[in-house]
Amino acid sequence: MQDNKFFPEIHGNLGFGCMRLPMNGDKVDYDEFIKMADAFTEAGFNYFDTAHGYISGKSETAIRDCVSRRYDRSRFLLANKLTESYFETQEEIRPFIKKQLELCGVDYFDFYLMHAQNARNYKKYTACKAYETAYGFKKEGLIRHFGLSFHDKAAVLDRILTEHPEVEFVQIQFNYLDYNDDGVESRKCYEVCVKHNKPVVVMEPVKGGSLVNLPEEADKVLRDLKGGSNASYAIRFAASNPMMSTILSGMSNLEQMLDNISYMKDFKPFTEEETSAVAKVCNIMKQKNLIPCTACRYCVEENECPMSIRIPDMFAAMNRNEAFSDGKPKQYYNNVLTVDGNGKASDCIKCGMCEAVCPQHLPIRELLENVAATFE
Ligand code: SF4
Ligand code: SF4
């Protein structure tokens, strides 16, 4: 396995994103998670990533029970984040990180990030002196490295990194479909990191699964390469850029974990043939009218929709409908998404609370009107 060029304590370049852990009903499936964590660590990797809001708090406690309590602390690295919705004043930041440490069953975080930074919430972090406060935790040994995760335009990132040179690394959304996207600006954000000499941690390398379950025409382009899974191309595309430290993959079962390990343990950079194949996939995908939802679930877990609308599942059904036209999404909408107390898309009262937390800045209210027109 290759050394990590930027942080010698990180083994290899694959990180285990713990936002989409295997579930059994509304509980994390500990048996499956343990198998995945064991496979990951036995392959030599050691970087786990979580946040307080992931799976409504269950990600942190699953890490405590399946990782922290089962491995010696020297065998794993843990990244956690300071999320906007859990503090209103500077004084609330210290109790919050103490609570996170306790929930995760550790004495320190190896990596600690200002979570999902954008122009709007950066004002709050600045007013609450969040950067200064969290960076101060380094001296106390509560955190080892200080960074930020980011969801906005490259110019905003440039400003934050100029104002906070103490930031050691940056986590950005980066995948081949968003690379030249005018909304996400993956490439431009990456270039800002290069300019400021900050190692990059990648999130959403498979765009919430959109680059795994490809429309048939795009799927065929990758199949014809005869080299690996669709996920492998997306993850290796991201990892092939020189400033990348770690590629986070939000794996949900052992099969995905073993697939990721198979090509990241002995990592091979992208070839020219692969680069031109993913360019073709992008062209095909851009012709489809897909909703760029990454299924992060912030809109349902960081926000309480008053009408209990399963927003990301509805968008996934819409995208599947657009990509495959097999009629199944409509059945799924009727049989699963709108029963058991869940609201229909047309029940949306347009309060806008979900849009305030969506890192992709999606016009959710407008999109739900399209969902209602399509499925109801
Ligand atoms: S705008 Fe609609 S979907 Fe969003 S939180 Fe309000 S009611 Fe729920
Ligand atoms: S709509 Fe936005 S917040 Fe909700 S899951 Fe999709 S990307 Fe995440």
Side-chain angles (χ1 to χ4, degrees):
M1 177 177 304
Q2 68 184 55
D3 292 335
N4 190 292
K5 286 182 286 188
F6 307 103
F7 299 102
E9 64 269 51
I10 302 179
H11 298 162
N13 55 358
L14 176 66
F16 190 167
C18 296
M19 187 168 82
R20 299 182 172 95
L21 293 176
M23 301 299 288
N24 217 335
D26 62 355
K27 294 198 170 66
V28 175
D29 181 341
Y30 276 19
D31 289 344
E32 185 78 355
F33 183 28
I34 285 171
K35 281 187 211 153
M36 295 167 75
D38 284 354
F40 183 68
T41 50
E42 280 160 20
F45 297 106
N46 61 352
Y47 190 103
F48 291 81
D49 171 272
T50 188
H52 189 59
Y54 290 177
I55 327 178
S56 307
K58 292 170 200 156
S59 172
E60 287 183 325
T61 47
I63 284 174
R64 177 194 64 205
D65 297 339
C66 303
V67 177
S68 312
R69 286 183 177 161
R70 293 181 58 251
Y71 305 136
D72 185 86
R73 187 67 181 88
S74 63
R75 278 191 66 199
F76 68 96
L77 304 172
L78 184 55
N80 207 331
K81 313 187 183 82
L82 177 64
T83 308
E84 180 191 4
S85 48
Y86 301 113
F87 70 98
E88 293 305 325
T89 63
Q90 183 181 10
E91 290 67 36
E92 288 173 0
I93 295 173
R94 177 178 292 278
F96 178 65
I97 190 175
K98 292 274 188 185
K99 181 173 160 193
Q100 288 179 293
L101 289 164
E102 192 186 331
L103 288 169
C104 292
V106 294
D107 297 327
Y108 62 89
F109 292 123
D110 300 274
F111 298 84
Y112 199 65
L113 299 87
M114 305 290 95
H115 195 183
Q117 297 295 277
N118 57 42
R120 181 192 55 76
N121 67 20
Y122 180 57
K123 288 186 196 148
K124 173 174 172 179
Y125 282 70
T126 303
C128 295
K129 295 197 180 330
Y131 281 65
E132 294 80 350
T133 307
Y135 187 69
F137 294 149
K138 268 185 88 159
K139 285 202 199 84
E140 296 177 45
L142 298 179
I143 68 171
R144 296 269 161 97
H145 295 290
F146 178 68
L148 64 88
S149 68
F150 187 75
H151 286 284
D152 205 337
K153 301 286 184 188
V156 177
L157 180 58
D158 192 26
R159 180 182 154 210
I160 296 177
L161 292 179
T162 303
E163 291 176 3
H164 289 285
E166 75 278 19
V167 168
E168 295 170 72
F169 66 101
V170 178
Q171 185 166 310
I172 59 171
Q173 178 169 329
F174 191 96
N175 56 64
Y176 63 75
L177 195 60
D178 290 330
Y179 189 66
N180 284 316
D181 185 90
D182 291 339
V184 180
E185 295 192 343
S186 281
R187 178 179 56 77
K188 288 184 183 164
C189 287
Y190 173 76
E191 286 167 358
V192 169
C193 296
V194 172
K195 174 183 154 191
H196 288 268
N197 199 26
K198 306 294 179 193
V200 176
V201 176
V202 171
M203 57 184 156
E204 305 292 2
V206 298
K207 204 168 166 63
S210 312
L211 303 183
V212 175
N213 301 313
L214 294 168
E216 170 56 27
E217 204 185 334
D219 195 62
K220 184 172 181 320
V221 172
L222 297 186
R223 273 203 323 269
D224 286 349
L225 291 172
K226 299 189 173 27
S229 63
N230 290 352
S232 75
Y233 295 109
I235 290 176
R236 286 181 45 247
F237 171 86
S240 296
N241 292 273
M243 211 55 191
M244 299 310 190
S245 160
T246 305
I247 313 302
L248 293 178
S249 179
M251 297 164 269
S252 301
N253 57 47
L254 183 61
E255 190 187 343
Q256 291 171 358
M257 172 63 79
L258 295 177
D259 183 48
N260 279 356
I261 290 171
S262 70
Y263 49 81
M264 294 301 274
K265 192 170 176 187
D266 180 22
F267 173 71
K268 301 229 172 7
F270 238 45
T271 63
E272 273 180 33
E273 187 191 13
E274 289 169 334
T275 305
S276 81
V278 299
K280 277 189 208 152
V281 171
C282 285
N283 285 339
I284 295 166
M285 297 287 279
K286 296 233 153 109
Q287 284 158 21
K288 304 267 175 197
N289 188 20
L290 301 177
I291 301 170
C293 167
T294 61
C296 68
R297 306 196 77 80
Y298 288 5
C299 55
V300 285
E301 290 176 358
E302 298 269 326
N303 161 57
E304 199 158 330
C305 168
M307 306 314 289
S308 302
I309 297 171
R310 292 176 57 174
I311 302 162
D313 306 304
M314 287 186 177
F315 291 170
M318 280 290 277
N319 283 347
R320 193 180 158 85
N321 197 49
E322 176 70 23
F324 297 103
S325 327
D326 58 6
K328 287 187 182 155
K330 184 156 186 168
Q331 281 169 27
Y332 186 65
Y333 182 83
N334 288 328
N335 299 342
V336 179
L337 297 181
T338 56
V339 295
D340 292 338
N342 298 321
K344 300 198 294 294
S346 58
D347 292 335
C348 172
I349 55 169
K350 304 201 183 320
C351 67
M353 291 193 305
C354 51
E355 291 181 15
V357 297
C358 175
Q360 308 301 321
H361 313 294
L362 297 183
I364 295 174
R365 290 170 283 190
E366 193 184 313
L367 290 167
L368 285 175
E369 286 180 12
N370 299 343
V371 174
T374 305
F375 292 140
E376 290 178 25

